[in-house]
Amino acid sequence: MTPTEPATLAPADQGAVVRPPLPVKMVIAGGFGVGKTTAVGAISEIEPLTTEAAITEVAAGVDDLSHTPAKTTTTVAMDFGCITIDPTLKLYLFGTPGQERFGFMWDDIVEGAVGGLVIVDTRRLDDCYAAVDYFEHRQIPFAVAVNAFDGKVEHSLDEVRWALDVSDGVPVVVFDARERGSVRDALLVVLELALARTEG
């Protein structure tokens, strides 16, 4: 073919089928006000679905707002968003509610997920124990993502690992729930962990 001739598809390419990306479910979990809704909103390529409700005086008396005084709403069911990683893979993200009183929803939200990202706030690690225990007991691959509130964390990653008593096989990373690239990198850690689990 000379440079002036139009390019044509080879016969073998004419029957090629473009496949849609493989859908993969991932859960974003953690305690109250740690940044789950923020993370889903930062990374989602669609307008995220949220189930935010106003924090009432009764709820404010139950939920610890001392570290999130400006927080006026809370997730009462789940957050949902999605992101296409590449032409072959699309992540569907499900954020859990953080309060223990909504824990009865977790089994339905987590069903079918390849892994989870547990977001923690180092100022109140106690809030994430329930999420860590949940994934450990169900043997679902997960990573711990320490949210860098105000650009800093209160404790080192080794201290966080020790405090949470997670195994060496559980990645512990720092990320910023507001930054798209940072959330992407944390999710990729979970994907790699889930892939290694299937290959093992």
Side-chain angles (χ1 to χ4, degrees):
M1 180 174 70
T2 66
T4 57
E5 292 177 335
T8 57
L9 288 175
D13 293 331
Q14 291 176 348
V17 177
V18 178
R19 299 182 185 277
L22 178 70
V24 174
K25 181 179 182 180
M26 188 175 294
V27 173
I28 297 180
F32 171 75
V34 296
K36 300 180 298 295
T37 300
T38 300
V40 172
I43 193 70
S44 181
E45 63 193 15
I46 63 170
E47 184 69 25
L49 167 68
T50 62
T51 54
E52 295 281 284
I55 296 176
T56 64
E57 288 186 15
V58 174
V62 175
D63 300 324
D64 181 7
L65 298 175
S66 59
H67 291 287
T68 54
K71 188 173 177 61
T72 59
T73 61
T74 185
T75 300
V76 295
M78 69 174 187
D79 299 312
F80 173 78
C82 64
I83 178 68
T84 302
I85 300 297
D86 61 36
T88 68
L89 187 65
K90 187 167 188 173
L91 276 185
Y92 289 89
L93 307 172
F94 291 78
T96 66
Q99 300 93 322
E100 287 190 30
R101 63 181 178 276
F102 296 125
F104 65 91
M105 302 179 187
W106 277 48
D107 286 344
D108 289 333
I109 294 174
V110 173
E111 183 177 1
V114 298
L117 184 70
V118 177
I119 302 177
V120 304
D121 179 351
T122 55
R123 299 170 299 182
R124 45 197 176 95
L125 285 174
D126 290 359
D127 291 354
C128 73
Y129 288 149
V132 169
D133 288 344
Y134 185 93
F135 288 106
E136 284 183 336
H137 290 154
R138 285 158 183 78
Q139 298 184 340
I140 299 172
F142 74 98
V144 172
V146 178
N147 197 358
F149 286 90
D150 301 321
K152 62 182 180 180
V153 293
E154 299 292 324
H155 304 282
S156 71
L157 295 186
D158 286 340
E159 290 173 327
V160 172
R161 180 182 297 282
W162 176 85
L164 297 179
D165 193 26
V166 292
S167 71
D168 291 340
V170 175
V172 180
V173 301
V174 174
F175 89 130
D176 188 330
R178 301 164 299 180
E179 297 292 333
R180 181 181 178 88
S182 187
V183 176
R184 177 204 61 212
D185 291 345
L187 294 174
L188 288 176
V189 169
V190 180
L191 268 180
E192 291 172 2
L193 190 66
L195 181 60
R197 177 78 66 91
T198 60
E199 293 177 343

